[in-house]
Amino acid sequence: MKNKPSLHSIFYPLFFIVSFNIFSKNVSTAQETPIPVRVGVVLDMDDYVGQMTFDCISMALSDFYATNGHYKTRLVLTNRDSKEDVVGAAAAALDLLKNVEVQAIIGPLSSAQANFMINLGDKAQVPIITFSATSPSLSSIRSLYFIRATLNDSSQVQAISAIIQAFGWREVVPIYVDNEFGEGIIPFLTPALEHVHVRVPYRSVISPIASDDQIVTELYKLMTMQTRVFIVHMRTNLGSRFFTKAKELGMMSEDYVWIVTDGISNELNSIDPSVMESMLGVIGVRPYIPKTKEFDDFTIKYKKTKALSSDLNIFGLWAYDSAIALAMAVEKARVKNATFIKANFSRNSTDLEAFGVSRTGSKLVQALSSTTFRGLAGDFKLVNGKLQAPPYQIINVVGRGASVVGYWTEDIGIVRELNFTNANTKAYSTSKSNFGSIIWSEGKTYPPKGWVIPTNRKKLRIGVPVKEGFTEFVQVTWNADNSSKVEGHCIDVFDAAMEALPYGVPYEYIPYADSNQKSAGSYNDLTNEVYLGNFDAAVGDVTIVSNRSQYVDFTLPYTESGVKMVVPIIDDKRKNAWIFLKPLTWDLWLISFCSFVFIGFLIWILEHRINEDFRGPPWHQVGMIFWFAFSTMVFAHKERVISNLSRFVLIIWFLVVLILIQSYTASLTSMLTVQKLQPTVTDVAVLIKNKDNVGYVKGSFVLELLKKMNFEESRILAYNTPEEMDELFSKGSKNGGIAAAFDELPYMKLFLSKYCSKYTMVGPTYKTDGFGFVFPMGSPLVPDISRAILSVTESKKMVDIEKKWLGDEIKCPESSTLVSSNSLGLESFWGLFLIVGVAAISAFIIYVIRFLRENWNVIERCDTESTVWSKTVELLQRFNNRDLSSHTFKNIERRERDNGCGGDCQKRAMESSDENLQLSPSTFSLQSPHTNGPPSPVFSTPRERRKIFREQVISSENEFGKTPGETSQVIKQEIELVNPNQNEQLTSQ
Ligand code: GLY
């Protein structure tokens, strides 16, 4: 603390001379005596701030009444020295209230002094106006009569946390003075830091009367920690000594970040220049004071009277503004009777009971609350009895002064320059690029990383698991001298990540082994060792799982995540026998079958009247329907269709059949070539139901997962190596082996790369987060290593590491391809069926309309015997008869005529058609001219014709008693009549 000579005793009478002169002058000119209003001032008059602020108050009133001579009130100051003491301040206030009956008190300086004074003011209903008691704890007193014409310390915590966020520091230690002022900020600072994910691992509290040795002891303690970012909240008297000692201990070096609150940065000009030099690189926040003409004029004026007091700082400006605000409020409140209402008190009453209540207090408070003006320290405006916070200036101590490196405002965060015109258009930002150039400790131009490896440890002790199997991930090899070599995929990834850090961190691997060089515990145990502080980190195939993350921090994962089930695969011979059914789903099979029958039936309808192929006995016709329909499947139908409607339907149907057949063939081919093997089991529920044994890698968290999945603990077997796993599978669950194994994807892929042909992964993937590196909770290394992991995994380095340890990825068939049905479903073909259906129904409707039109006379008939039933029967009969008008039958008639049959052949054939054989329009009709028997049929093939000829011969012989020789002679003649070539063919048979 800097003690200046106490000159206020010189200035004080001087002020009254000045004010008396002004007062007298105004009396004579205004002819009206201004009302004197007594105001108390309680300050530490031996402190340079007390002296300076008293000067400012005096100058404020002098200036104010010089320009406002017409005011009807005059503040008359009564000064009391609080003697830098809480009790002194209370005594001074009591005296002012009781004996002077002041209407307001300006002061005190410190928050501790203010605490009691606020209560006194509240009791006497006298406003207590402080311009320097900044502790947030004072707000909790909630007195209407407490006016804080200064900033609450809590308003700067957002600015401080924004700076820390900008540089990405993860841990800070607040160092504060152990009093009302120091402690008051902590309940606000800690949540503000937590809000930006910054940890406060420790708080350093320094007594306001701490000796240098005590400061050094505390600094040594801070030195042993890994955190290197400190927030210092104290006044300059203690702060100067603190930084002097920090410099002596080498704590102003390049690793350290020092951020000071406005407790120091508001009073930098009171710090000794040599101490300032040792504070190189310190960052500070302080309220922004706009540079106005009034400010400049006052500074010049103040400097002129500087011989009377000390350096001006923001408290002087607030003191000045407070005095002006009070003078304005007193005038506004029209204070006339500035006296107290005296309480009745007895002779034995204490001082605290002896003073009365101010008559003007509440009016004054109201007037102060509504008083606004542009003061020297910025806009003076009280909200809820508090001054509104201005933007904060961010300063950097360089040499004997400080440079402004940025600003912080509540709306836009950190900015290089304040620009009030576009303040509302910018988004909140805490980018470090918004700062001007900062000189850090030791003159460095780049920010410190904010932490170091604690000085009591040389290297990070990294625990690694000791494993028997899956050593591709981590392998510990023991040397004869008990030393060890650690290598593997995880180790290479960690080394690469550490290399990618922007700073060097020394570390060593320590196997987590017992005295026999065997694993000392599970992965959970290893994680716990990090939590207990026995290792600084753990590196290996440790999986990020929720319950571990309650105790330690994980970096980002660097492997695939998830737990899968692996089961043996077998040849599925049984299913292969029916594999031809698999290409189509059942609904597609069904709809295809129905479609074939429907098309066959429709073609029969369309052809029945005009095509001999679709005529004949009923069973023959039913057979024809099915035969014709299904022969279209392989395009093997021999029957010609005659109707254009049939052709139209068929051509569309052929397209559908073609597509179906092609798709079926392709699907079956792929099934026959791919689908050879099946997993033995695909469902966990089946394993549980069958009480099958399952396996997992020893020490893994998968054990807990399996228990959660309701596997009995006795059914869960552990294995160490892929070979053991294979052996357990070979034994089978019934013989003490396993039916399935559960493990993380990296292990399973490694296992399958060796046993691809025997096992497969099936079932869902149980979500986990892959392997990560383990660090103690809140370790500042975690975010940096996570970023480094990302840069490694995204680079070719990761591919090389994987290739080196895990080999090239072997593509084993996924279970999903084995068991999932890739049958073709109706959903892929319904469009085709729709088209053919529409075509078929259209054809049918056209046919029916045409048929009904041709036979309209039947429908129209209205004689008494014609009922609906009789008409229907007749229509059906007509449908069953040949359509002699069709061109097919006309052709036959023409041929018969050409062959001399004169139309009789056809006629007879027509008559017998219902009970007899069919006539093909493509062939000829045959009838014996010598018989009255049934007409001979017409056949399309020589074989058919021969068969019928023989039957007719036998029947003629029976009927007419002819000898076979005679009969054959007759037939020969007949054949010659009908078709001379037929005879030749027949004889040659
Ligand atoms: N990777 C096995 C475990 O972390 O439990």
Side-chain angles (χ1 to χ4, degrees):
M1 186 175 59
K2 200 168 120 185
N3 285 330
K4 296 253 172 138
S6 176
L7 296 177
H8 74 283
S9 46
I10 306 167
F11 184 81
Y12 187 52
L14 186 72
F15 164 69
F16 275 101
I17 293 163
V18 172
S19 52
F20 178 77
N21 284 340
I22 297 165
F23 188 77
S24 320
K25 205 165 118 197
N26 285 335
V27 167
S28 56
T29 52
Q31 309 250 324
E32 204 181 304
T33 312
I35 301 162
V37 178
R38 287 177 298 279
V39 170
V41 178
V42 178
L43 298 170
D44 299 332
M45 297 311 291
D46 285 340
D47 183 89
Y48 82 94
V49 179
Q51 293 162 25
M52 180 264 294
T53 50
F54 185 78
D55 293 348
C56 290
I57 292 168
S58 306
M59 289 171 82
L61 295 182
S62 170
D63 292 348
F64 184 74
Y65 289 123
T67 51
N68 295 289
H70 59 284
Y71 268 39
K72 295 183 178 61
T73 51
R74 291 290 181 277
L75 298 190
V76 179
L77 300 181
T78 305
N79 184 29
R80 291 285 182 276
D81 186 356
S82 50
K83 297 185 169 44
E84 297 181 38
D85 182 23
V86 174
V87 178
L94 260 181
D95 177 42
L96 289 169
L97 292 171
K98 189 180 164 198
N99 302 324
V100 187
E101 294 193 353
V102 291
Q103 299 304 308
I105 295 177
I106 300 177
L109 279 186
S110 78
S111 299
Q113 291 169 342
N115 210 335
F116 189 66
M117 268 178 66
I118 293 167
N119 287 306
L120 287 179
D122 198 50
K123 195 165 164 52
Q125 296 182 6
V126 168
I128 306 289
I129 305 156
T130 180
F131 52 81
S132 59
T134 54
S135 172
S137 64
L138 298 178
S139 304
S140 64
I141 297 173
R142 294 183 201 287
S143 168
L144 274 180
Y145 296 91
F146 175 48
I147 307 293
R148 205 200 292 255
T150 180
L151 293 178
N152 186 327
D153 282 336
S154 63
S155 50
Q156 64 192 310
V157 297
Q158 306 288 348
I160 293 170
S161 62
I163 296 170
I164 291 163
Q165 192 181 18
F167 290 102
W169 297 312
R170 314 305 302 180
E171 274 186 7
V172 298
V173 171
I175 305 167
Y176 55 94
V177 60
D178 188 10
N179 62 15
E180 194 99 23
F181 163 74
E183 285 165 358
I185 199 171
I186 296 301
F188 298 88
L189 182 62
T190 314
L193 293 171
E194 277 170 4
H195 185 69
V196 293
H197 311 294
V198 173
R199 275 186 74 233
V200 177
Y202 177 71
R203 292 180 202 168
S204 173
V205 189
I206 295 184
S207 163
I209 49 164
S211 65
D212 284 357
D213 283 349
Q214 284 169 325
I215 293 174
V216 166
T217 308
E218 188 60 28
L219 285 172
Y220 269 128
K221 203 191 281 179
L222 298 177
M223 228 189 221
T224 61
M225 296 179 181
Q226 68 176 14
T227 308
R228 284 293 178 263
V229 184
F230 302 104
I231 299 171
V232 183
H233 180 57
M234 53 186 68
R235 302 294 281 267
T236 44
N237 45 6
L238 180 59
S240 297
R241 285 197 296 135
F242 179 85
F243 278 107
T244 306
K245 290 294 151 200
K247 174 78 179 171
E248 281 172 19
L249 295 183
M251 291 177 77
M252 301 307 291
S253 63
E254 61 175 317
D255 289 336
Y256 289 83
V257 179
W258 296 98
I259 299 170
V260 293
T261 64
D262 63 0
I264 288 178
S265 46
N266 274 338
E267 299 178 44
L268 282 179
N269 54 2
S270 68
I271 297 178
D272 195 88
S274 63
V275 179
M276 278 290 278
E277 276 175 12
S278 66
M279 288 171 68
L280 175 66
V282 170
I283 302 287
V285 291
R286 66 185 181 195
Y288 164 69
I289 300 168
K291 292 272 173 279
T292 58
K293 183 174 177 308
E294 291 78 17
F295 173 82
D296 290 341
D297 291 348
F298 179 74
T299 313
I300 293 164
K301 192 171 162 190
Y302 183 85
K303 276 184 183 158
K304 279 187 191 157
T305 57
K306 197 177 167 207
L308 299 176
S309 190
S310 323
D311 286 339
L312 182 65
N313 68 24
I314 195 167
F315 295 116
L317 304 180
W318 277 328
Y320 187 100
D321 290 347
S322 302
I324 302 269
L326 187 59
M328 290 167 85
V330 164
E331 183 72 14
K332 203 190 272 183
R334 300 187 188 286
V335 173
K336 287 193 182 96
N337 189 7
T339 55
F340 273 38
I341 304 166
K342 286 287 181 193
N344 290 331
F345 60 93
S346 68
R347 189 179 288 274
N348 295 333
S349 301
T350 61
D351 267 358
L352 288 175
E353 291 164 325
F355 56 79
V357 172
S358 168
R359 288 179 201 280
T360 58
S362 62
K363 274 205 261 171
L364 255 182
V365 167
Q366 275 176 22
L368 270 168
S369 301
S370 60
T371 299
T372 57
F373 62 96
R374 189 173 180 81
L376 291 183
D379 290 336
F380 186 95
K381 185 173 180 224
L382 297 172
V383 176
N384 295 329
K386 282 178 275 183
L387 198 62
Q388 286 305 283
Y392 273 86
Q393 219 172 30
I394 301 166
I395 55 153
N396 178 210
V397 178
V398 184
R400 294 185 173 204
S403 62
V404 177
V405 292
Y407 295 88
W408 175 88
T409 76
E410 205 174 353
D411 295 329
I412 54 174
I414 294 167
V415 282
R416 177 73 191 93
E417 295 293 348
L418 272 183
N419 184 354
F420 292 101
T421 51
N422 67 359
N424 291 334
T425 58
K426 288 180 88 173
Y428 188 88
S429 157
T430 54
S431 167
K432 72 175 168 194
S433 61
N434 293 350
F435 286 104
S437 61
I438 299 177
I439 306 295
W440 300 94
S441 302
E442 292 189 338
K444 296 282 186 279
T445 51
Y446 50 85
K449 65 178 187 288
W451 63 273
V452 289
I453 294 173
T455 47
N456 55 355
R457 293 249 182 88
K458 285 283 165 274
K459 286 179 176 177
L460 281 187
R461 291 160 47 86
I462 313 269
V464 289
V466 176
K467 297 160 62 73
E468 286 178 44
F470 298 100
T471 47
E472 291 82 352
F473 295 109
V474 186
Q475 182 167 28
V476 177
T477 321
W478 297 97
N479 302 322
D481 61 353
N482 248 4
S483 64
S484 58
K485 184 176 158 210
V486 180
E487 56 188 351
H489 173 258
C490 306
I491 303 298
D492 278 5
V493 176
F494 186 73
D495 288 344
M498 294 305 266
E499 233 173 73
L501 285 180
Y503 45 84
V505 179
Y507 58 92
E508 61 182 335
Y509 293 115
I510 299 173
Y512 182 47
D514 61 14
S515 52
N516 299 322
Q517 298 180 341
K518 295 271 179 257
S519 172
S522 67
Y523 291 88
N524 277 351
D525 297 334
L526 175 59
T527 312
N528 201 34
E529 293 295 321
V530 177
Y531 169 68
L532 295 174
N534 296 332
F535 290 125
D536 297 319
V539 167
D541 47 345
V542 185
T543 308
I544 303 167
V545 280
S546 143
N547 62 351
R548 292 174 188 167
S549 68
Q550 312 289 321
Y551 306 100
V552 292
D553 274 353
F554 284 96
T555 60
L556 286 178
Y558 56 91
T559 58
E560 273 181 286
S561 60
V563 170
K564 285 290 272 189
M565 174 164 87
V566 162
V567 294
I569 42 180
I570 49 160
D571 265 338
D572 188 10
K573 293 196 176 83
R574 184 179 54 82
K575 281 195 179 165
N576 280 348
W578 298 100
I579 198 163
F580 71 91
L581 288 175
K582 288 218 148 195
L584 306 189
T585 55
W586 281 111
D587 51 356
L588 189 55
W589 275 120
L590 190 68
I591 203 91
S592 304
F593 178 81
C594 294
S595 302
F596 275 106
V597 175
F598 171 68
I599 292 295
F601 185 65
L602 182 70
I603 298 298
W604 174 80
I605 290 174
L606 300 178
E607 293 291 317
H608 178 66
R609 300 190 71 227
I610 55 172
N611 190 340
E612 285 300 338
D613 284 353
F614 292 85
R615 299 189 68 82
W619 281 113
H620 176 80
Q621 292 189 46
V622 171
M624 176 55 71
I625 287 171
F626 282 91
W627 157 254
F628 180 83
F630 287 98
S631 61
T632 60
M633 192 159 67
V634 285
F635 309 106
H637 57 289
K638 290 198 280 310
E639 294 73 19
R640 281 178 46 201
V641 290
I642 290 160
S643 159
N644 277 338
L645 287 175
S646 311
R647 288 171 180 163
F648 166 67
V649 172
L650 271 183
I651 206 74
I652 294 171
W653 175 241
F654 287 154
L655 179 72
V656 173
V657 170
L658 182 76
I659 292 171
L660 262 182
I661 296 291
Q662 295 290 339
S663 307
Y664 173 89
T665 314
S667 179
L668 183 64
T669 310
S670 84
M671 281 184 176
L672 286 172
T673 49
V674 175
Q675 186 169 0
K676 288 201 173 107
L677 301 165
Q678 287 288 353
T680 47
V681 60
T682 55
D683 195 351
V684 172
V686 174
L687 289 169
I688 297 171
K689 195 170 133 234
N690 293 348
K691 293 193 182 302
D692 280 328
N693 292 342
V694 292
Y696 74 102
V697 172
K698 191 172 181 181
S700 164
F701 76 97
V702 174
L703 174 62
E704 283 112 73
L705 183 79
L706 291 173
K707 283 190 209 160
K708 269 193 225 156
M709 287 159 67
N710 288 335
F711 281 103
E712 285 172 28
E713 205 167 342
S714 59
R715 305 259 165 227
I716 306 172
L717 310 185
Y719 50 81
N720 281 307
T721 62
E723 291 72 30
E724 266 181 46
M725 185 176 167
D726 178 48
E727 206 179 304
L728 285 173
F729 268 126
S730 309
K731 277 193 196 168
S733 179
K734 299 283 171 280
N735 303 317
I738 55 174
F742 290 80
D743 239 312
E744 291 163 83
L745 273 170
Y747 300 116
M748 288 312 194
K749 287 201 164 174
L750 205 60
F751 174 73
L752 288 181
S753 68
K754 294 179 184 164
Y755 299 99
C756 193
S757 59
K758 290 170 75 178
Y759 305 98
T760 187
M761 280 194 272
V762 290
T765 304
Y766 301 93
K767 195 88 195 83
T768 58
D769 258 337
F771 299 161
F773 303 128
V774 187
F775 283 88
M777 221 35 155
S779 168
L781 270 174
V782 172
D784 290 349
I785 295 186
S786 290
R787 270 181 224 113
I789 287 173
L790 284 182
S791 73
V792 172
T793 49
E794 285 169 12
S795 70
K796 192 179 160 291
K797 206 166 203 165
M798 193 66 178
V799 181
D800 294 342
I801 293 172
E802 280 182 353
K803 215 171 183 172
K804 176 178 167 194
W805 292 105
L806 310 178
D808 288 320
E809 201 179 334
I810 294 173
K811 288 259 175 275
C812 284
E814 276 279 341
S815 62
S816 54
T817 61
L818 295 171
V819 292
S820 80
S821 164
N822 49 1
S823 305
L824 303 169
L826 184 59
E827 62 281 357
S828 318
F829 295 97
W830 66 263
L832 282 176
F833 284 106
L834 183 71
I835 292 169
V836 78
V838 168
I841 288 166
S842 310
F844 177 71
I845 291 169
I846 293 167
Y847 177 84
V848 170
I849 292 170
R850 216 193 265 166
F851 176 76
L852 292 179
R853 231 179 54 194
E854 280 168 14
N855 298 285
W856 199 245
N857 54 342
V858 178
I859 297 165
E860 273 182 333
R861 198 181 300 143
C862 37
D863 52 36
T864 48
E865 279 162 24
S866 297
T867 60
V868 174
W869 174 244
S870 68
K871 286 180 187 176
T872 311
V873 170
E874 189 173 344
L875 281 175
L876 287 175
Q877 275 168 355
R878 287 191 180 204
F879 169 75
N880 198 30
N881 289 339
R882 288 183 179 80
D883 180 3
L884 295 177
S885 61
S886 84
H887 74 280
T888 42
F889 295 123
K890 280 184 188 154
N891 284 348
I892 293 169
E893 196 181 349
R894 194 176 57 242
R895 269 203 306 271
E896 283 170 349
R897 219 184 298 116
D898 294 347
N899 291 331
C901 205
D904 273 0
C905 318
Q906 188 187 344
K907 197 167 160 230
R908 282 195 296 271
M910 302 299 144
E911 281 163 6
S912 64
S913 65
D914 292 345
E915 70 271 19
N916 286 317
L917 305 170
Q918 292 188 31
L919 287 168
S920 167
S922 60
T923 57
F924 56 94
S925 62
L926 182 69
Q927 170 116 26
S928 167
H930 306 287
T931 64
N932 295 323
S936 298
V938 179
F939 302 95
S940 55
T941 64
R943 187 176 293 279
E944 285 167 335
R945 286 193 292 271
R946 279 200 307 277
K947 189 167 168 249
I948 295 305
F949 286 146
R950 281 190 194 112
E951 281 171 4
Q952 285 188 343
V953 166
I954 293 158
S955 123
S956 316
E957 285 165 356
N958 292 342
E959 198 177 337
F960 303 109
K962 290 193 171 141
T963 62
E966 289 166 346
T967 310
S968 64
Q969 189 54 40
V970 170
I971 289 170
K972 258 187 206 167
Q973 286 165 3
E974 286 174 349
I975 290 170
E976 273 166 17
L977 268 174
V978 176
N979 187 349
N981 298 334
Q982 287 294 319
N983 194 21
E984 278 162 31
Q985 283 173 14
L986 188 66
T987 25
S988 65
Q989 297 290 321

